[in-house]
Amino acid sequence: MRYALVVGSLVALVGVTTPTAGATVTLKAENRQPKGWAAGGWGSYRFTLRNDGPEDATIVKWTAHWEANGKQIGDPWGGDINQPLPSGKEVTRDEVGELPVEVANAAKPGPAAMVGSFTVRQGSSNADLAFRIEVPEAVLPEPLRRIAGKTVELELMESRFRDFQHLQRTLDWVDQCYSAMMDLTGEKPFGGKRMVFEEAPPHPWWAYAGEHMILNTDFVGQTLKDFDDGLISFGWIHEVGHNFDVLGRWYIWNGPSAEWQANFKLCYAFETIPDQSFRIKWTFQAPGYPAPDPNTRLTGHDLVERFFLMFGDQYMVDPSRTWDTLSSDEMHSFFQRLQRVYGWDVFKRWYRTYRRLEDAGMTPPEKPEEKVSLIAAILSKETGVDLVPTFQRWRFPVTPESVKALRERYKLDEGRPG
């Protein structure tokens, strides 16, 4: 279980005076989810450390633990920081964490608390700045009701369904997107069990993925209105895309690459599902290609052409940027261009190659550079074209030697997945 900070109100403003020239460093611990966190759910919080003294300081480390009814629960956590805190400056640390169910239950009927401290060094002296944050459990104001489709379920507050006019059409669209992603990747997440869109109290994001895709209640009402208006939810389909990265450890190397992968599957679904009656507003705009009217309704194909395909210009014209600065949309633009030239079937075989390697008991590359070289090796094999120069044009860390080494390590020439 990952233990991290929880929310309540603004609860800590602690000053400490060190022996060195009376310098003062203060710590403020701030609740960023004022309505609380769901038990087992996520929330955000902020620490602000300010140095109002004449001497520079260093934030050495922090530590914390959970308390419920005055008793510590679980092991402490934290870690080294070693971040400079110059005189007259402040450092802000924005974090997210999870409120464990067992902590919330043990604290009832009151709130749990996260208790800890930051260690700050000035000169040869260390001082501990303590904080305590109370954690109310957030709950929805009414029970949830679950409606099942073929591949997904909606678990929303009962009142949501009173005004929802196009429930079946919505389920059909999402089911079709699920089937399209299965066609693209060859995978069935969670053993083929239905995924659930579950409404939950406010949390730091619009939604997050998993067998239960946790929807932030603040945005559910407008999303259902959009569905009724014939607008598919980019966010809902994006989360389904995340769930289809069953083998993501083979080809995802950082956060942006994970976001690209979710959207890549979304694009295939938007372009290929049988019911193409849905639309999406042109609020997604590539830099340098603004929409004349963001309320313009696009088809799925138009969204890919006018948004994802057009990213990358700013990266390509800036030689000071390296491949590890690529945003998710920029790397998506690169791979979408390959798809436009060589087709979706190449990527169907690409995903299935990873399944063949996984089933053969092979281990994914650990280094990001190796993951990218393996991507280039598989795509070069499946297209029948040497794509190394294309990857190099986008400054990916790919060479003929690195591609050859990965091709041999994973025996890519010994057969093509069915």
Side-chain angles (χ1 to χ4, degrees):
M1 177 66 70
R2 176 181 175 180
Y3 292 107
L5 182 61
V6 296
V7 299
S9 56
L10 180 62
V11 296
L13 179 57
V14 182
V16 60
T17 301
T18 70
T20 56
T24 302
V25 176
T26 57
L27 165 66
K28 182 170 70 173
E30 184 179 359
N31 166 25
R32 304 292 288 172
Q33 300 288 141
K35 297 179 182 179
W37 296 8
W42 296 80
S44 60
Y45 53 97
R46 172 178 292 172
F47 294 119
T48 303
L49 294 99
R50 180 167 183 82
N51 182 2
D52 288 318
E55 186 176 14
D56 292 344
T58 299
I59 306 169
V60 179
K61 63 181 179 180
W62 77 298
T63 184
H65 63 267
W66 286 103
E67 288 187 3
N69 287 314
K71 296 181 179 179
Q72 180 174 334
I73 299 180
D75 297 328
W77 72 96
D80 294 335
I81 299 175
N82 294 317
Q83 183 175 1
L85 180 56
S87 172
K89 302 294 183 180
E90 67 180 29
V91 168
T92 299
R93 297 180 60 86
D94 285 312
E95 306 284 354
V96 294
E98 181 184 8
L99 170 59
V101 173
E102 59 268 33
V103 173
N105 289 340
K108 290 179 179 179
M114 196 274 264
V115 180
S117 66
F118 281 77
T119 299
V120 177
R121 181 172 63 245
Q122 284 181 298
S124 59
S125 300
N126 285 353
D128 292 330
L129 285 69
F131 62 86
R132 177 185 177 88
I133 297 179
E134 292 192 343
V135 187
E137 179 185 351
V139 295
L140 291 172
E142 58 182 277
L144 299 179
R145 177 186 174 194
R146 183 178 293 195
I147 302 292
K150 294 178 181 178
T151 60
V152 298
E153 300 179 359
L154 306 185
E155 191 170 7
L156 311 175
M157 288 194 295
E158 290 182 340
S159 62
R160 301 292 191 191
F161 295 101
R162 289 202 293 265
D163 300 321
F164 195 9
Q165 301 298 312
H166 292 283
L167 170 61
Q168 190 57 53
R169 184 180 68 181
T170 297
L171 287 170
D172 289 344
W173 281 348
V174 181
D175 284 335
Q176 289 180 31
C177 288
Y178 179 105
S179 296
M181 294 181 190
M182 188 168 60
D183 178 56
L184 176 63
T185 66
E187 299 297 329
K188 287 186 178 181
F190 313 114
K193 292 188 292 185
R194 289 192 188 100
M195 302 177 188
V196 180
F197 288 98
E198 179 183 341
E199 186 170 1
H203 54 73
W205 306 288
W206 193 91
Y208 56 89
E211 185 175 346
H212 282 238
M213 295 167 284
I214 306 302
L215 307 175
N216 187 324
T217 188
D218 289 345
F219 306 105
V220 171
Q222 184 59 52
T223 300
L224 299 185
K225 290 180 181 178
D226 288 344
F227 271 119
D228 276 345
D229 194 27
L231 300 170
I232 201 167
S233 171
F234 185 102
W236 281 25
I237 308 306
H238 173 89
E239 299 307 329
V240 175
H242 274 304
N243 285 344
F244 270 86
D245 281 317
V246 178
L247 299 177
R249 64 194 188 113
W250 282 91
Y251 50 78
I252 290 174
W253 63 89
N254 62 8
S257 65
E259 299 307 311
W260 151 56
Q261 275 293 317
N263 286 337
F264 198 58
K265 297 168 186 64
L266 172 148
C267 288
Y268 180 74
F270 278 8
E271 290 196 328
T272 64
I273 66 172
D275 184 354
Q276 287 288 311
S277 65
F278 71 89
R279 293 294 181 266
I280 190 163
K281 287 185 178 180
W282 199 354
T283 54
F284 299 91
Q285 302 166 32
Y289 302 92
D293 181 357
N295 290 312
T296 301
R297 293 176 172 234
L298 303 178
T299 65
H301 178 81
D302 286 343
L303 174 70
V304 178
E305 294 286 314
R306 302 185 192 186
F307 179 65
F308 289 111
L309 204 61
M310 304 310 296
F311 263 84
D313 291 6
Q314 293 179 335
Y315 171 78
M316 293 295 285
V317 300
D318 184 355
S320 69
R321 288 187 59 191
T322 55
W323 73 283
D324 53 359
T325 70
L326 283 164
S327 70
S328 65
D329 293 327
E330 288 169 338
M331 63 180 70
H332 188 144
S333 181
F334 169 72
F335 287 100
Q336 198 75 61
R337 294 181 194 195
L338 291 180
Q339 181 277 318
R340 282 299 190 254
V341 175
Y342 300 107
W344 282 113
D345 283 349
V346 164
F347 285 92
K348 291 180 182 181
R349 297 196 297 268
W350 180 71
Y351 284 113
R352 285 161 176 80
T353 297
Y354 291 114
R355 170 50 64 190
R356 176 168 60 86
L357 300 179
E358 177 84 4
D359 289 348
M362 295 187 178
T363 303
E366 294 184 2
K367 297 179 180 179
E369 295 82 359
E370 291 183 329
K371 292 181 189 286
V372 175
S373 287
L374 181 56
I375 291 172
I378 299 172
L379 290 177
S380 292
K381 176 178 183 290
E382 296 302 336
T383 60
V385 175
D386 179 9
L387 292 175
V388 170
T390 309
F391 275 79
Q392 290 178 333
R393 188 177 304 122
W394 282 67
R395 298 189 286 279
F396 281 104
V398 171
T399 66
E401 293 76 18
S402 71
V403 168
K404 182 175 183 290
L406 271 297
R407 191 165 182 154
E408 291 176 351
R409 184 197 303 182
Y410 291 102
K411 303 177 182 178
L412 297 182
D413 295 324
E414 293 187 6
R416 172 175 290 182

